Amino acid sequence: MNRQTERTETEEFLDLAVSLGYRLLYAGAEISRVEEAVTRLMQAYHVPGDVFAIPSSLIVTVCPDDGEPVTWLRRIAPHGTDVDGIERTY
């Protein structure tokens, strides 16, 4: 498998963490809850890193033991609050 299609464990974890945060933000969850949920996910998998969220974007950085820190950013499009969506995600 060539490098262009191969995903590392770090990339797989970042995809999970960013997807969780995105879904919560898009549903209208409070910023502190989004950051807490992603941080708890990182702690559960013993992945060092950091998360920063604002209503329009989410930034997640992980620091794998075997390499350089990797940061992903996801922009959150304008949206409303979906209380049912928060409940389903969280």
Side-chain angles (χ1 to χ4, degrees):
M1 186 179 292
N2 67 30
R3 177 66 183 134
Q4 292 178 343
T5 58
E6 183 180 331
R7 288 179 56 128
T8 66
E9 286 183 20
T10 300
E11 291 169 331
E12 292 287 338
F13 183 81
L14 273 168
D15 189 38
L16 175 65
V18 170
S19 293
L20 171 64
Y22 173 82
R23 291 177 62 154
L24 287 167
L25 276 172
Y26 193 81
E30 296 174 4
I31 298 299
S32 60
R33 290 202 183 270
V34 173
E35 291 178 343
E36 178 185 4
V38 176
T39 298
R40 285 182 183 223
L41 178 69
M42 296 168 102
Q43 291 171 345
Y45 285 92
H46 306 287
V47 175
D50 200 13
V51 58
F52 177 74
I54 58 176
S56 62
S57 66
L58 174 70
I59 303 169
V60 179
T61 299
V62 297
C63 304
D65 294 332
D66 60 347
E68 295 289 317
V70 180
T71 300
W72 280 16
L73 171 113
R74 181 140 186 209
R75 187 175 185 327
I76 314 301
H79 55 281
T81 301
D82 178 5
V83 176
D84 291 330
I86 295 171
E87 187 174 305
R88 285 190 305 270
T89 302
Y90 201 60

